[in-house]
Amino acid sequence: MAAEQYRAYIGGEWVATGTGGSFDNINPADHNDVIGTFPRGGEAEVNAAVAAAKAAFRGWSLTPAPKRGQIIQRVGDILSERKEELARLMTREMGKVLAETRGDVQEAIDTAYMSAGEGRRMYGDTCPVELPNKFGMSIRMPIGVAGIITPWNFPLAVPTWKIFPALVCGNTVVIKPAPDTPASIAKLAEVFEQAGLPKGVFNVVYGDKEVGEPLATHPDVGVVAFTGSSAVGRRLASVCGERLKRLSLELGGKNAQIVMEDADLDLALEGALWGAFGTTGQRCTATSRLILHKEIAAAFIDHLATRAKNIRVGNGLDENVQMGPIINEKQRDRVHGYVEIGKAEGAKLLIGGQPKTGGDFDRGWFYEPTIFTGVTRTMRIFQEEIFGPVLSVIEIPSFEAAIETLNDSAYGLSSSIYTKDVNRAFAAIRDIQAGITYINGPTIGAEVGLPFGGVKDTGNGHREAGRQVLDIFTEWKSVYVDTSGRLQKAQIDTDALA
């Protein structure tokens, strides 16, 4: 069977050709499964998409915000109806198991409904002013064209975290999805079309750097939102900074779970397994460091190794599989390279450490769940983001040492501590340097109602999800209405009223 021929979506039209040729989207669990062929865009397609978005901006921004929200609400309804279809497609193109891709679609649905509600909120402020017969208020204004650049690990959830709030705020959108997972965004474009979104408001161009760079630097793109590596984030910060362009960065993580001696150890074990090996460790919130109190470390490690060895690895379309493949060969090689680094640094390879091969595994990019013990804080495997199913375990003598060890990182996205001591829990909330802290829960599992993002090398201060995401996609305007019929001078005439 011939692969499906996908098209870019520009100005409400499906565009078959790309100036960069085409590329195939291949199932990382089965190289014989080609999801589709996609046109590879470049500067010409970016220019066309931005022009379409710019032309659509005024009409869309003048559409009442509740009406914009109603369209996003319909998008959420359609995603709900097509949830299983989209989840199965996502498993084919990204590899994670069906239970997780269903959750990915559900997160997009949740984001749609939350964003739709902001169409009737999006509150500003009023405040008392200094002079009589004068009124002061602040309102949110859309920025213009939003350039969205997204990763492959959450093909719908992460893009919709950005797209839905951008649209409900009155912006128009051009998105460059990750070249490993373009099909999910193609289907999202279909959903927007089905929901009645006006032409030009949402546009899709496929490709890699040849699309991302001209999109980020385009003079008619007013805001860029990016999720990906810290290295690319720094590059975008540079090019956007030169242009004084707003930029939201959600970057890497090196997240840690602390397990204290008083913890519910069975619960902490479940959290460590899910945090480290869910999504094959390919989450920015994945648990890649496990910090164990020395009193419980030996027994905990034994149970952890036994459970991790029994994780069922395979094609995510199989409902019995618990962990899918790594996204592509390059990333699998990168993960294996870090395993070799850990061994060379003197860490003890407890389990795993090899690609899974033989039989059906030879058709995909599979890797064994991997655990290192005897890890120290100076080792690269403890400090650098690996983005795969590799967990580094370190032992500590006290709560204070646990917090110090967790904070010894260039990143600060997610964190976790298991303890029954409420005083320790609140001290951890206060002292951990991260944008997210879980008490008696794993480092993964963020919900759309609260802000998502981190500190240090994890980002540049913006937050997605929650109501805080509106600050990425709007400008504040202060408005003063003077009905006095005369010139009033703030801070000057105020003294005359005393």
Side-chain angles (χ1 to χ4, degrees):
M1 176 185 287
E4 183 175 350
Q5 302 294 308
Y6 281 81
R7 300 182 176 194
Y9 190 65
I10 299 174
E13 304 295 332
W14 295 97
V15 181
T17 59
T19 54
S22 63
F23 65 96
D24 288 336
N25 181 18
I26 297 173
N27 185 340
D30 182 356
H31 303 159
N32 296 325
D33 179 19
V34 180
I35 291 94
T37 298
F38 290 77
R40 187 183 297 278
E43 188 171 359
E45 286 77 14
V46 170
N47 289 341
V50 172
K54 183 180 179 181
F57 170 69
R58 181 163 176 79
W60 180 244
S61 64
L62 292 178
T63 301
K67 184 70 173 177
R68 298 194 298 258
Q70 287 173 9
I71 293 177
I72 303 302
Q73 172 92 22
R74 284 201 293 272
V75 169
D77 293 341
I78 297 166
L79 290 174
S80 297
E81 295 164 4
R82 299 179 63 177
K83 181 176 179 178
E84 186 65 17
E85 167 208 343
L86 294 170
R88 297 188 74 83
L89 172 67
M90 195 186 303
T91 291
R92 286 176 63 206
E93 73 167 351
M94 187 270 162
K96 60 187 175 183
V97 300
L98 276 170
E100 293 191 43
T101 54
R102 289 173 185 137
D104 197 307
V105 181
Q106 186 60 50
E107 193 159 358
I109 295 165
D110 295 344
T111 302
Y113 292 154
M114 182 167 181
S115 298
E118 290 300 338
R120 293 189 180 275
R121 291 188 293 266
M122 224 179 303
Y123 302 127
D125 294 310
T126 61
C127 70
V129 295
E130 300 167 357
L131 298 167
N133 299 309
K134 187 178 179 182
F135 177 78
M137 64 180 176
S138 62
I139 57 176
R140 292 185 182 272
M141 302 294 292
I143 294 172
V145 178
I148 308 293
I149 303 172
T150 54
W152 44 261
N153 58 337
F154 284 84
L156 269 182
V158 168
T160 55
W161 278 8
K162 307 171 193 298
I163 295 165
F164 292 161
L167 292 178
V168 84
C169 287
N171 304 284
T172 54
V173 165
V174 178
I175 183 171
K176 184 204 84 65
D180 284 300
T181 54
S184 296
I185 294 301
K187 295 302 179 184
L188 181 62
E190 290 180 5
V191 171
F192 274 126
E193 204 169 48
Q194 187 178 347
L197 189 73
K199 291 179 181 293
V201 173
F202 179 71
N203 305 270
V204 182
V205 181
Y206 308 111
D208 205 347
K209 295 178 182 178
E210 67 278 1
V211 173
E213 186 89 3
L215 179 59
T217 58
H218 198 291
D220 291 331
V221 171
V223 54
V224 175
F226 170 79
T227 296
S229 72
S230 296
V232 176
R234 286 189 176 90
R235 168 64 182 161
L236 287 172
S238 175
V239 299
C240 290
E242 289 175 359
R243 294 159 177 81
L244 300 179
K245 182 177 299 191
R246 181 172 302 185
L247 172 67
S248 168
L249 297 174
E250 200 285 289
L251 307 175
K254 191 67 179 175
N255 315 288
Q257 174 182 313
I258 296 170
V259 183
M260 297 306 299
E261 80 283 0
D262 66 335
D264 180 333
L265 297 183
D266 290 335
L267 182 64
L269 177 62
E270 296 299 328
L273 289 164
W274 176 232
F277 303 118
T279 323
T280 321
Q282 298 174 121
R283 295 188 185 216
C284 55
T285 56
T287 306
S288 56
R289 301 182 295 158
L290 182 60
I291 301 170
L292 301 178
H293 193 281
K294 63 181 182 180
E295 290 184 17
I296 53 90
F300 194 92
I301 290 168
D302 285 344
H303 290 303
L304 178 68
T306 300
R307 289 286 302 278
K309 284 179 183 177
N310 291 321
I311 290 174
R312 295 186 295 276
V313 179
N315 191 319
L317 292 173
D318 182 344
E319 297 275 10
N320 293 314
V321 163
Q322 297 171 302
M323 192 179 93
I326 288 175
I327 186 66
N328 56 41
E329 183 178 20
K330 180 180 178 181
Q331 181 61 22
R332 190 177 72 169
D333 289 346
R334 183 177 187 273
V335 170
H336 189 62
Y338 269 104
V339 169
E340 294 300 312
I341 288 169
K343 289 158 63 176
E345 289 178 319
K348 178 184 176 183
L349 181 61
L350 185 65
I351 66 165
Q354 292 293 331
K356 287 189 75 69
T357 57
D360 291 344
F361 291 123
D362 287 340
R363 298 208 304 266
W365 308 120
F366 296 95
Y367 205 85
E368 297 173 344
T370 300
I371 299 174
F372 279 102
T373 58
V375 177
T376 66
R377 284 163 53 173
T378 59
M379 290 181 179
R380 289 179 62 189
I381 59 169
F382 191 78
Q383 293 291 340
E384 298 177 17
E385 186 175 42
I386 299 173
F387 223 66
V390 179
L391 179 64
S392 296
V393 183
I394 191 169
E395 299 180 27
I396 45 85
S398 66
F399 171 76
E400 292 76 17
I403 299 298
E404 181 183 356
T405 301
L406 185 149
N407 287 338
D408 185 11
S409 173
Y411 299 100
L413 179 51
S414 190
S415 58
S416 162
I417 182 169
Y418 282 78
T419 180
K420 294 177 182 176
D421 186 328
V422 67
N423 293 333
R424 281 176 170 174
F426 275 87
I429 292 169
R430 179 194 66 202
D431 294 338
I432 286 175
Q433 298 166 3
I436 303 167
T437 295
Y438 291 86
I439 307 299
N440 296 323
T443 61
I444 63 178
E447 300 184 22
V448 301
L450 293 174
F452 182 93
V455 300
K456 298 191 275 191
D457 283 4
T458 290
N460 63 342
H462 289 288
R463 292 293 185 270
E464 296 180 333
R467 58 184 172 81
Q468 289 79 5
V469 69
L470 302 179
D471 289 331
I472 298 173
F473 297 109
T474 55
E475 295 279 12
W476 281 108
K477 176 179 282 190
S478 296
V479 179
Y480 301 94
V481 181
D482 194 323
T483 60
S484 68
R486 62 187 182 86
L487 175 64
Q488 299 193 92
K489 301 173 184 175
Q491 293 91 42
I492 296 175
D493 289 351
T494 304
D495 292 338
L497 297 174

